[in-house]
Amino acid sequence: MVDEPLKKHTYTQLGGNADYYVTPETYEQVRQIVQLANKESVPFTLLGNGSNLIVKDGGIRGIVLNLQKLDAIKTDENLVVAGSGARIIDVSREALKEHLSGLEFACGIPGSVGGALYMNAGAYGGEVKDVLTSAVVVTRDGELLTLAADELDLAYRKSNIPDNGYIVLEAEFSLKNGKYDEIKALMDDLTHRRESKQPLEYPSCGSVFKRPPGYFAGKLIQDSDLQGKQIGGAQVSLKHAGFIVNIDDATAEEYISLIRFVQKTVKEKFGVKLEREVRIIGEDLE
């Protein structure tokens, strides 16, 4: 697709257009696109399911790759293999069906498998690196590699995937046998906790900031009297201060301005630097 509006493909419902928007269906097609982009010197950007991402109002030049069609999920005894375009929520549900424990923490994470590896996604005391065994990636040069989990340098909300320019195609998770009722009860509890505390009724990028050592980002924002603070259509959520929601057709510029305002205010009030968990990509509107 040419000149595709990216606000249709992000949870925040923000962002300008992509010059070219491509949804490959096979690993080989991904390799070919990367090799073509290199040959023609066309920039390319990987877009997951757009859950922990802000695309600027000027959009993205070159090729935007969305791997949503690489969404197969397979199980083999205690192993679950999932395509990078599969939702990590769906992978946790597939594990439940097979009575496998270890991915319960992911039952409320809205991102794709590829995005979950990219940022070592986690919640409620669990994270991807606890259960990941290996990943299949395409390199910047279009080479297909299978990497062990420890080769991805997974740490709190980060990995070496962006620095190395890897495109994740597939992930393998090693889980433990468990009891269906116990796994489901934990997932139901975590889902209830998420739905009762998070502002799921509005578009958002999820948790905006990483947890600062010794603090909670949401509590610092709340204690800075910023809940309800609004710039344009973007608002610090009244339900959970760690979230910024798009309540009235916000622009990316308004959303990003509010993030910076929150960072500045918390730094002035408590001397704590809030680091973004959300990625910001694309061009400013000219």
Side-chain angles (χ1 to χ4, degrees):
M1 290 181 275
V2 178
D3 211 26
E4 175 71 2
L6 291 172
K7 64 169 57 181
K8 291 166 50 177
H9 304 285
T10 61
Y11 272 55
T12 52
Q13 296 177 15
L14 303 170
N17 295 358
D19 291 345
Y20 303 99
Y21 184 79
V22 185
T23 54
E25 298 182 14
T26 66
Y27 295 178
E28 182 57 28
Q29 286 176 358
V30 178
R31 288 183 66 242
Q32 290 172 355
I33 292 165
V34 172
Q35 289 170 350
L36 176 66
N38 287 336
K39 181 180 177 183
E40 301 296 332
S41 298
V42 176
F44 65 89
T45 302
L46 184 64
L47 186 75
N49 71 345
S51 61
N52 199 234
L53 183 74
I54 297 169
V55 177
K56 291 183 177 180
D57 298 311
I60 299 176
R61 304 289 68 80
I63 297 169
V64 171
L65 272 178
N66 188 317
L67 304 184
Q68 61 189 6
K69 293 181 180 177
L70 303 181
D71 62 353
I73 304 171
K74 298 173 288 186
T75 57
D76 181 12
E77 295 186 348
N78 70 321
L79 298 177
V80 179
V81 178
S84 66
R87 298 192 314 159
I88 193 74
I89 287 175
D90 292 336
V91 182
S92 73
R93 290 171 180 164
E94 188 65 26
L96 168 66
K97 279 169 54 180
E98 299 296 327
H99 301 195
L100 295 173
S101 176
L103 273 171
E104 291 91 337
F105 73 89
C107 70
I109 296 174
S112 65
V113 167
L117 267 64
Y118 185 101
M119 64 175 293
N120 184 30
Y124 299 113
E127 54 188 349
V128 164
K129 78 179 185 68
D130 298 336
V131 288
L132 183 73
T133 56
S134 65
V136 178
V137 305
V138 170
T139 68
R140 284 193 180 102
D141 299 322
E143 182 185 359
L144 207 64
L145 292 181
T146 299
L147 301 173
D150 59 10
E151 294 180 88
L152 297 176
D153 296 338
L154 299 173
Y156 179 66
R157 300 300 176 266
K158 65 180 180 181
S159 70
N160 65 20
I161 291 170
D163 290 343
N164 289 324
Y166 294 148
I167 295 174
V168 176
L169 299 181
E170 179 184 291
E172 181 186 85
F173 303 98
S174 179
L175 307 177
K176 295 178 180 176
N177 292 315
K179 295 181 179 178
Y180 180 92
D181 290 345
E182 292 177 2
I183 297 168
K184 187 175 187 304
L186 178 54
M187 289 173 68
D188 288 346
D189 176 55
L190 296 181
T191 298
H192 172 73
R193 287 160 66 181
R194 174 174 177 263
E195 290 177 349
S196 64
K197 292 179 181 177
Q198 297 183 12
L200 304 180
E201 63 273 23
Y202 291 111
S204 82
C205 61
S207 180
V208 178
F209 303 105
K210 297 178 182 179
R211 180 180 174 182
Y215 298 91
F216 291 98
K219 183 75 164 59
L220 289 169
I221 297 165
Q222 186 177 339
D223 292 346
S224 298
D225 298 322
L226 289 174
Q227 272 188 289
K229 170 66 181 176
Q230 197 167 327
I231 294 179
Q235 182 191 66
V236 177
S237 170
L238 291 163
K239 191 171 184 180
H240 189 310
F243 286 69
I244 291 176
V245 289
N246 180 357
I247 65 166
D248 187 17
D249 198 23
T251 64
E253 184 179 358
E254 291 166 351
Y255 211 96
I256 294 165
S257 294
L258 186 53
I259 289 174
R260 290 174 178 156
F261 182 82
V262 168
Q263 288 174 311
K264 179 174 178 288
T265 304
V266 169
K267 185 73 167 66
E268 289 173 351
K269 193 170 181 72
F270 295 104
V272 177
K273 180 182 179 182
L274 291 181
E275 285 189 49
R276 278 190 291 106
E277 186 170 308
V278 64
R279 292 169 59 214
I280 298 174
I281 62 174
E283 310 285 328
D284 290 316
L285 199 59
E286 294 180 358

